[in-house]
Amino acid sequence: MKKLVFALTLSIACGSIFAAEHQVKMLNAGADGAMVFEPGFLRVAKGDTVKFIKTDASHNSAALAVPAGAQAWKGKMDEEIAVTLNHEGVYVYACDPHKIMAMAGVIQVGKPVNLAEAQKQADVLSKSFVMNKDRLSKYMAQVK
């Protein structure tokens, strides 16, 4: 029994050792234009953490679509937040004050189990953009 408990504890500990942290910058200008998250599309493994970095002022990150069972997040203005993604699927997020400027991004965790629902949310969001109207669709096209 002690060996079983030890093996279980070791396997749980090792799982967190292999989890990675990815950084997404919140920028006024970047490779994809004005008001962007960089990178705008990110593919990560289940259990990885994504840290949203305050590079420029007056931004936040808020989840708009998450897989079933996943926890949505909403960072405060100018707040760096770290989000651990424990559910497979597609996450769509945006900066609240700059959504209409297409400051949005996509994270794929493992298999895109909720792709249809995430695509619907991305399509609705894209209709509200006043600039960079195809940015989010380009990010969604990278989901495999």
Side-chain angles (χ1 to χ4, degrees):
M1 183 64 158
K2 287 181 182 180
K3 288 181 182 179
L4 179 61
V5 171
F6 176 74
L8 183 59
T9 304
L10 184 61
S11 67
I12 291 170
C14 288
S16 63
I17 290 171
F18 296 114
E21 180 178 284
H22 306 269
Q23 295 187 346
V24 175
K25 296 176 186 172
M26 298 182 280
L27 300 167
N28 291 340
D32 289 341
M35 301 302 171
V36 294
F37 290 99
E38 201 167 271
F41 175 78
L42 194 57
R43 188 174 288 118
V44 304
K46 186 176 172 182
D48 283 359
T49 298
V50 176
K51 185 173 184 181
F52 293 90
I53 305 297
K54 177 192 166 206
T55 307
D56 294 323
S58 301
H59 300 295
N60 78 324
S61 173
L64 302 175
V66 300
Q71 182 71 28
W73 69 88
K74 183 174 176 113
K76 296 177 184 168
M77 196 63 56
D78 291 325
E79 175 184 47
E80 289 190 359
I81 61 168
V83 180
T84 300
L85 303 169
N86 292 315
H87 290 81
E88 283 192 323
V90 179
Y91 296 72
V92 178
Y93 62 92
C95 171
D96 288 325
H98 301 114
K99 268 192 277 196
I100 64 169
M101 300 171 83
M103 189 167 179
V106 175
I107 302 169
Q108 179 181 343
V109 179
K111 296 177 185 174
V113 296
N114 65 324
L115 181 57
E117 296 86 5
Q119 186 64 60
K120 285 179 190 174
Q121 181 64 40
D123 291 345
V124 168
L125 182 59
S126 293
K127 289 177 183 174
S128 70
F129 295 163
V130 296
M131 57 190 270
N132 304 308
K133 292 183 178 277
D134 63 342
R135 179 182 288 164
L136 191 53
S137 62
K138 287 180 181 178
Y139 296 156
M140 289 297 294
Q142 295 178 58
V143 175
K144 305 273 185 253

